[in-house]
Structure formats: structure tokens, C-alpha cells
Amino acid sequence: MPTLIDNTHPKPEARTTVSAAARAKGKGDARGGLYKPREPIYPKLVSGRWRTIKWALLIVTLAIYYITPWIRWARPGDLPQQAVLVDFAGRRFYFFDIQLWPQEVYIFTGLLVIAALALFLVTALFGRLWCGYACPQTVWTDLFIVVERLFEGDRNARMRLDAQPLSFDKAWRKTGKHLTWLGIAFGTGGAWIFYFHDAPTLIRTFWIGQGAMTAYVSCALLTATTYVFAGWMREQVCTYMCPWPRIQGAMLDEHSLQVAYLRDRGEPRGAHKKGQSWEGRGDCIDCQQCVVVCPMGIDIRDGSQLECINCGLCVDACDDILGRLGRPTGLIAYDTDSAVAARACGQKAVYRPIRPRTIYYALALVLVSGLTLWGLITRPLADVHVIRDRNPIFVRMHDGAVRDGYTLKIANRTFEDRQFEVAFAGLDGARLSQPGRPAGSSVSILVPADEVVAARVFVTVPPDADRPHSLPGRFIVRSGEIQSDAKTVFLSGAANPK
Amino acid sequence: MASERETDDVSGVETTGHEWDGIRELDNPLPRWWLWTWYGTIAFAVVYMILMPAWPGLHGYTKGLLGQSDRAKVTSDLAALDVHRGAGAAMIRKASLAQIESDPQLQAYAQQVGQSVFGDNCATCHGIGGTGGKGYPNLRDDVWLWGGTLEDIQHTITVGIRADHPQTRTSQMPAFGRDQLLEPAAISDLTEYVVKLSGRPADAGAVARAAPVYASQCVACHGADGRGMPSVGAPNLTDSEWLYGSDRVAIRGQIFAGTGGVMPTWGNRLSPETIKALSVYVHANAGGQ
């Protein structure tokens, strides 16, 4: 595969061997020495197809985030009336009609694997779309830039303002911006905690100082991170802190769609005067619009690079200029490295979305989604676990009868109290009993709605010299159409000494 | 490895002069926020040292401005636990033993309390599982020397067996051999009689010889049919449960020496609520009665 890095425009200082003196001097130069300050980036407002999609996604994702905890959902009894609730204290997760117990944490594992595989597939097909459109860092940074523009104006005005000495005008603009940022950050942290506690209750107790300490700490933590990450650090988070750029690099290949500068069409670049011929030159007029709109502060014309989040704002900026020039759009476009390389060699570019890599990702995604869904649908509404007594493993009664003790943990996942009939299968003449209750062929245990009850159950069998020391058995727990069972053993030790 | 430093063509960044397999390391500066994060951790450490106990000294450690002390926290946690347990104790105090056992929630509470109290106080003799051993009654079966109802168990725990409590439960099996109340031959005959009582084959001649001796010496406590008397703590001789062993040597030894165990008066050490919970725990995990 031909190299994608074009060295036809070497930087002026390239290929110069630096002397020791110059090296020492270089440490303190514009690069900032050992530590480099963030180079301010002033993304310019752009409009176009991709920007519109980004606006739409920004509104949709933020709306989902802020509104979800306020959706009410009727549930019977004392159960929470909140549609989406992570109830740590009650150890339940409520998602509309789905209610998950801690034992069903595998569903979450499935969801995480699905999310990872979906990201793999999307990245293999379309590059870092997640980074450019849906990542919270991108969404909140976008929102913070909107606020910044509101107070300080667009790119040029912002640059002018930053260059000015401190004045009243500058001070109130900066203060207003930071206060608004802090307000949004607080709203972000504040919305987060509503996912973990009944929202209408929490919003009241939070303000009168009676919320849980975790609520205040979580809120403060998210306020701080939102303000610092989306306000101050922005692209530094993506470039230096986030692991995804490195990991996603492993899922991309030359057939993945990425924002690319079509150098075969653009070069050689240069200024263009109206009326001049376009013969013998590229379409790029070196207007720098793709650079000034980039929220990551890169020049896409240098080729695909780590910082690029595939957001397509440079595409919008370039298309806008090309339109005004009357040239066909798409000089910067979602394209594949292989297509760019093919055209450079004069071949026809072929887009190959179906590749071994995408097939694997898609198959794995279907498989894991199916398994997770299957697990969710087939999970039992009642569950019984048996813990048999180990000390003593059995008790011999005065008449030689043998009694084993068990603790049954019966989970009732339905929303109504249920009386479970417990029977023991595998032993003839077995009598079941509970402390303080008469023995019978079965016992009845009440399990309140949405709870687990640990019940002591004794199984007694009459004396029988021929009975093996250990017999497999099974507890069957039934309430109406709901049934569950659990294997165990009945131990009776050596034959009766009588 | 270190070679001449030069500027990289593509990025325009100076290299460190390090090269591995033709790959040269760029000398990019670290982002400044790293530096500030580092300063932040130092500041945090300083504040932490001022606020929290930090430095050991010759005469104790620096206390810190917040007055944090794990020992004080444990003490206050324990006090809070006592208050917390007070609610459960109040419920146990109000309910009768039968009510505690029949209410699933109260029973679960009593079982929890009982299990831990049993482990601390009773398991030494009766075993963690309550199955006892030679000379120490099995509390899991349905054989009870002093009766196995909830009230019987509560009373036994409270006053003890052959202890120094004025109302302690006491019974005395005479040491027929050691105190020379019976001839050795009569003790041997009586042993056969007891074996026969428990439904096992025995020497018919010896059983016949022992019958009048049993009638005169043993019936008062063990009864004519050998079924014992829980009201005086006399064991049932017809069942398969033997506190001091079921073979002839053990039975003969018991007739000879008349051993009797001692259980402390727990009323002196455990609160009435704890004894109630313990009684329910023992009863709920035992058979019968």
C-alpha cells in the first residue's frame, strides 16, 4: 500500500541537525519548554450538512440525559415510580418495565459487550464517528463553545478579545461565560444524581441540605469535571487523556470511511483569483477555512491523524467555499484511505464496507445481542437457592428418623406477594417442616413482592437401614404457574446403630 | 542508541536522539496540565497532612485539625450499633417466645442473634452445630433431658444445670459402684437390663436377676418402662440417644460413677432478650417438642 503521508510540502525547519546550543535554547522557545501550555483553539462557526447533524445529535443526546430521570412509571406497591432508576440501596435497577436484580448483572455485562462491539463495527465502517458526534466530551464541548460564542463572539472576535488588555467589557464577558459554564456543569452533575434516587424527592432534599452525602459528592465531582473538561481542556482530553483514539486506531483500516482531504483533487494548492483558469492546478485555494473551524486544531490536509475526531466540520467549511467558487463540492469528504491511494495511482476507487473485519464484528454483535436478549426474556420470575446445613450434616431423631436442615433462599421477582409451596422430590416419605410449624409433605412460605426470603426448611425421613448415605434430591418451589427448582443432596450418614 | 538530535521531517518536532529499530523518539513537551495536576497532588498531600493524623513522633503522632481517629470512630460505631440493636431487643422483649418463633421476621432476627450468641458462649461444649458430644447433649435432635419446649429451653439456659443459681436444674444419678451401693455383679446385671430396655439383645438371665434391683433403685427417676422423666432430668433409656455412650462399658461406667455434667447459669451473663433469642434459635434448629 502506498504511503499516505505526503512529504511534498516539507516544513521549512525540516532536516536541520540541531546543535547543542540550539537544543538548549529550543527548550525555552515557543514550544513551552518541558511543559507545553494548551494552544488556544478558536473554532469558527460553520454551517452545513454535518454541522446540522451535530446540532440535532447535541439536542437529542442532551435531552435524553436531562429528561430521562423525570419520566414517571407506574409500578405496584412501594416500588419506585421512576422509569429509569439505579437503586443501589434497594439493589435494584429499574428500566421502564424491566427490573434487574444484582444476580442479573450479566445483562449489564451483555450490554457493555454489545456497546463495545457496536463501537468496533461503526469504527471499522465509518471511522471515529462516536468521537465526532456522540461522545459526551464532544457534545458538552460543543455546548460550551456555543456559550463562549454567545459572550465573546465568533473566532475573530474571541481572538481579539483574548489579545486585549483587561477591561470592563472583557471582564464581564469572561465572567458571564464562566458562570454560565459552571451553571451548565452543575446542571450536568445535578442531573446525574437523579438517576440514583427518586428525582422529585431528591431535588427537594438536595436544596434543603438533607440529601445523601454521595449525592453532593457526585454532583460536585461531575460539576468540576464538566467545567474543566468541556471548558478548559477540550481537545486535550481527547488527545492526551482518552484511550479511545489509540484503541480505535486498531479497528480502522484503509477501507474505513474517514474525513479525508482528497489531495489528488486539491493539489497543487494556491490562491485563486476570480476569472483565472482552474487548468493545471488543484481545487484547494489554501483559504484555511478547514483549519479555523476544526475543534481539534489540526490541518486535515496533512493527512489522517490521531487528533481527528471525524466530525466533518472541515467538510462543511470546504464545501461552503467550493460552492462560492462554483467548483464541485467534496474536496474534503468522508472517504477511505484506499480510495485516496487508488486515485493517486490513477485507479478506480472501490468502497468495500463488507470485509472480514466488519463481518466478524457484525456476527459477534448479533450473537451477543441475541444471548443478552435471550437471557433477559428467559430469566425466571422466581428463583430458589439451597444452602444445606454442613454442621451438622444430618441429625438422627430418637426413633432413628433422619433429619437434614436446609436454608432456602426464595426470590420473588414478581410485583405481588406470593405464597410458595415447597416440596422435596427424590425421597419417599419425606416430611418437610419449618421451625414452629407442623410437618407435612410440603411447606408454604410467603415471599413478599420483589424480595428474597431466607427460610429454614427441615426434611425428615423415617428410619431405613437400606437407604444409601447420600441421595440426590430436588427442592421444587411453586406458586401458580411460576416454578423453580434447585438440586441438592439428602445425607443420612451410617445406618442406624439400632 | 543515542544518536544526533535532529528535527523530524513530518511533524517538525525535535527528536530526543533515541532510536530503536529505526524508530526515532520525538521530543514533544508534556502538556502543562500534567504539571498542574502534579502540583495539585502535592497541595492535596500538604492539606491532608495538616487535616489528618500524619506524622509519628516521640510522644504520639500529629493529630490533624479534623480530629480524625479510627479508635474514636469504632467506639462511636459500637455505641450506634447498641442503639440500633436496642430496637430489635425491644421487639424481642415484647413478644412471647411462641410469637417470636411464628413470626418470620422476628424468627429470622432471633436466629441471627442466637447464632452469634451460641457461637460465642455455647459452642465450646455443644459444638458450633449444636450436636454436642459425649457428656454434652445434642441440641439438634428431639431428645431433651429437661424438656424441649421453648419455655423449658429458656429456663434451662437461664438457671443452668447443677450450677450455683438457687433455682438451678439439678438431678443426681447415684454412683452405685463407687459409693458401694450395689455389688459389682448387680451392676453388671443392671447393665444388661438397660441394654435390654433400649431394645437390643441382652443376657436373659442377667436381665431377670436385675429386674428387682431396677425396680427398687432406678424406677423413681427413669420410670418402670425406662422412659425417664424430663421434669427431674432423668434420661430416657429406651431411645437411641446416649449422653455418655451406648455400649456396655459406657453404660456400666455410668451406673458405677453416676456422672452428671454442669452448665453455667447464663442468666448471670446474658440479657433476658438475648436468652429469649437464643432459646428460639436452639428450639428452631432442634427436632420435635
Side-chain angles (χ1 to χ4, degrees):
Chain A
M1 189 193 129
T3 176
L4 296 170
I5 295 167
D6 190 334
N7 286 338
T8 49
H9 299 279
K11 299 228 162 68
E13 71 277 18
R15 291 206 185 282
T16 47
T17 305
V18 189
S19 71
R23 211 182 298 145
K25 184 171 160 281
K27 291 283 183 198
D29 67 9
R31 293 195 294 110
L34 267 178
Y35 295 96
K36 186 182 176 180
R38 174 174 181 264
E39 282 169 18
I41 296 170
Y42 301 91
K44 190 182 166 192
L45 181 62
V46 66
S47 62
R49 191 202 315 177
W50 305 109
R51 181 64 261 187
T52 309
I53 293 174
K54 264 173 82 78
W55 285 137
L57 277 171
L58 178 121
I59 291 164
V60 169
T61 49
L62 286 177
I64 290 174
Y65 177 72
Y66 286 109
I67 293 171
T68 303
W70 294 95
I71 305 172
R72 309 309 288 170
W73 201 257
R75 291 195 186 88
D78 297 334
L79 294 173
Q81 307 290 305
Q82 189 160 318
V84 178
L85 182 70
V86 183
D87 182 2
F88 275 122
R91 284 172 294 176
R92 297 282 183 278
F93 171 65
Y94 301 93
F95 187 81
F96 297 94
D97 268 340
I98 298 171
Q99 183 215 25
L100 295 181
W101 289 42
Q103 295 91 324
E104 292 153 352
V105 75
Y106 58 86
I107 301 279
F108 287 104
T109 313
L111 284 177
L112 288 175
V113 176
I114 289 170
L117 288 170
L119 184 77
F120 294 177
L121 181 62
V122 167
T123 305
L125 286 172
F126 310 115
R128 290 172 59 186
L129 271 199
W130 164 258
C131 295
Y133 291 87
C135 174
Q137 174 66 18
T138 287
V139 170
W140 262 274
T141 301
D142 240 15
L143 184 66
F144 273 43
I145 291 175
V146 170
V147 172
E148 195 166 63
R149 263 191 210 112
L150 212 62
F151 281 95
E152 302 179 6
D154 205 6
R155 174 180 163 88
N156 292 337
R158 285 210 299 278
M159 290 167 86
R160 259 200 318 277
L161 189 74
D162 278 2
Q164 275 171 19
L166 190 64
S167 64
F168 176 74
D169 182 63
K170 182 171 175 172
W172 84 257
R173 284 178 191 279
K174 290 276 176 194
T175 313
K177 176 181 84 172
H178 285 287
L179 285 179
T180 312
W181 277 359
L182 277 169
I184 295 172
F186 177 69
T188 306
W192 177 257
I193 58 178
F194 293 142
Y195 283 87
F196 300 90
H197 198 275
D198 185 60
T201 316
L202 182 58
I203 201 166
R204 192 163 41 79
T205 52
F206 186 89
W207 286 114
I208 58 175
Q210 286 175 359
M213 185 45 82
T214 43
Y216 294 105
V217 170
S218 307
C219 184
L221 212 62
L222 264 98
T223 306
T225 48
T226 308
Y227 174 68
V228 173
F229 285 7
W232 290 94
M233 296 185 69
R234 297 190 181 170
E235 80 292 341
Q236 302 248 307
V237 173
C238 311
T239 310
Y240 295 110
M241 291 169 71
C242 181
W244 278 120
R246 278 83 180 167
I247 296 171
Q248 287 188 112
M251 289 140 204
L252 289 167
D253 56 28
E254 68 272 24
H255 300 295
S256 306
L257 279 175
Q258 295 191 73
V259 170
Y261 165 66
L262 311 188
R263 63 180 71 255
D264 52 311
R265 217 192 107 186
E267 301 296 332
R269 64 180 87 147
H272 179 266
K273 282 209 180 73
K274 201 166 185 180
Q276 266 184 345
S277 164
W278 289 93
E279 283 299 316
R281 56 157 297 151
D283 277 350
C284 177
I285 59 165
D286 215 4
C287 66
Q288 301 283 333
Q289 289 308 297
C290 55
V291 177
V292 300
V293 299
C294 180
M296 303 301 290
I298 57 169
D299 186 344
I300 191 62
R301 295 172 301 172
D302 290 343
S304 57
Q305 45 209 289
L306 177 128
E307 290 89 343
C308 178
I309 56 170
N310 235 25
C311 68
L313 294 186
C314 50
V315 178
D316 283 343
C318 188
D319 282 356
D320 181 41
I321 298 294
L322 290 167
R324 291 190 211 173
L325 292 170
R327 303 296 294 172
T329 58
L331 175 56
I332 302 176
Y334 283 97
D335 205 347
T336 67
D337 281 352
S338 69
V340 174
R343 283 194 306 270
C345 305
Q347 294 160 351
K348 194 176 179 316
V350 184
Y351 176 46
R352 286 182 52 208
I354 299 168
R355 318 190 289 278
R357 176 192 290 267
T358 56
I359 293 170
Y360 294 151
Y361 289 152
L363 279 180
L365 186 61
V366 168
L367 185 72
V368 176
S369 305
L371 279 176
T372 308
L373 194 65
W374 180 73
L376 189 65
I377 291 169
T378 60
R379 73 206 165 105
L381 285 172
D383 215 357
V384 57
H385 287 269
V386 179
I387 306 157
R388 57 159 293 120
D389 283 4
R390 297 209 173 111
N391 183 9
I393 54 171
F394 66 91
V395 176
R396 202 179 303 283
M397 297 298 148
H398 78 280
D399 58 357
V402 178
R403 197 184 72 163
D404 279 17
Y406 302 86
T407 301
L408 301 189
K409 291 203 167 179
I410 305 173
N412 176 8
R413 293 201 175 89
T414 65
F415 290 146
E416 59 207 30
D417 298 356
R418 279 180 181 273
Q419 198 78 38
F420 284 93
E421 285 296 313
V422 180
F424 192 87
L427 271 181
D428 290 335
R431 310 269 294 164
L432 272 65
S433 60
Q434 279 201 282
R437 312 240 185 102
S441 58
S442 70
V443 291
S444 182
I445 296 169
L446 177 74
V447 186
D450 195 42
E451 273 189 33
V452 184
V453 159
R456 292 282 289 155
V457 173
F458 297 109
V459 177
T460 312
V461 293
D464 177 2
D466 297 332
R467 187 172 38 236
H469 297 181
S470 168
L471 272 171
R474 202 156 48 92
F475 274 104
I476 301 169
V477 167
R478 187 183 293 125
S479 169
E481 73 287 3
I482 296 174
Q483 184 178 326
S484 179
D485 64 350
K487 281 182 190 163
T488 184
V489 287
F490 185 89
L491 298 175
S492 49
N496 192 343
K498 239 182 189 178
Chain B
M1 211 160 56
S3 62
E4 194 65 9
R5 294 171 73 96
E6 55 185 62
T7 302
D8 176 59
D9 293 347
V10 178
S11 60
V13 174
E14 192 183 326
T15 68
T16 59
H18 300 159
E19 183 178 333
W20 290 273
D21 295 342
I23 298 171
R24 286 170 298 159
E25 185 186 9
L26 298 185
D27 192 13
N28 272 312
L30 283 171
R32 183 157 280 173
W33 59 265
W34 275 34
L35 190 67
W36 284 106
T37 306
W38 184 52
Y39 289 155
T41 59
I42 293 172
F44 177 85
V46 171
V47 172
Y48 190 90
M49 279 191 292
I50 294 168
L51 293 180
M52 302 289 278
W55 292 98
L58 286 177
H59 306 288
Y61 54 91
T62 56
K63 297 281 191 279
L65 294 182
L66 288 186
Q68 162 71 21
S69 160
D70 283 351
R71 189 182 293 271
K73 189 168 185 323
V74 168
T75 310
S76 79
D77 282 356
L78 283 177
L81 190 64
D82 279 345
V83 173
H84 176 70
R85 282 183 178 159
M91 286 194 302
I92 296 286
R93 189 160 48 239
K94 269 183 265 167
S96 74
L97 285 165
Q99 282 169 340
I100 296 171
E101 193 170 74
S102 57
D103 179 324
Q105 276 181 324
L106 277 180
Q107 191 199 99
Y109 178 85
Q111 294 242 27
Q112 294 284 334
V113 174
Q115 187 171 25
S116 76
V117 173
F118 191 91
D120 285 351
N121 299 284
C122 317
T124 321
C125 293
H126 291 286
I128 287 288
T131 49
K134 190 174 176 184
Y136 300 102
N138 181 346
L139 304 178
R140 300 293 289 248
D141 62 12
D142 56 350
V143 175
W144 295 93
L145 285 172
W146 294 95
T149 66
L150 279 162
E151 284 74 18
D152 289 336
I153 295 169
Q154 183 190 29
H155 188 62
T156 305
I157 297 172
T158 309
V159 299
I161 308 283
R162 300 182 192 93
D164 37 16
H165 191 276
Q167 275 131 39
T168 190
R169 296 194 134 155
T170 184
S171 62
Q172 180 66 58
M173 167 82 183
F176 288 102
R178 199 181 56 208
D179 294 346
Q180 299 181 348
L181 302 174
L182 290 174
E183 293 297 317
I187 293 176
S188 296
D189 288 348
L190 210 46
T191 303
E192 287 302 312
Y193 191 88
V194 173
V195 169
K196 176 74 182 155
L197 271 180
S198 70
R200 289 177 283 175
D203 178 348
V207 171
R209 284 194 298 276
V213 184
Y214 181 86
S216 65
Q217 303 290 339
C218 316
V219 164
C221 294
H222 292 288
D225 54 1
R227 290 187 180 276
M229 245 186 280
S231 57
V232 295
N236 183 344
L237 303 177
T238 66
D239 63 17
S240 56
E241 178 74 14
W242 296 88
L243 187 55
Y244 292 98
S246 60
D247 60 28
R248 285 177 168 79
V249 175
I251 293 170
R252 194 176 193 284
Q254 185 58 10
I255 299 171
F256 184 89
T259 313
V262 173
M263 179 163 108
T265 306
W266 293 102
N268 296 340
R269 287 185 55 177
L270 304 176
S271 70
E273 294 80 22
T274 308
I275 289 178
K276 264 177 134 174
L278 187 58
S279 307
V280 171
Y281 170 76
V282 170
H283 186 259
N285 285 293
Q289 295 190 307

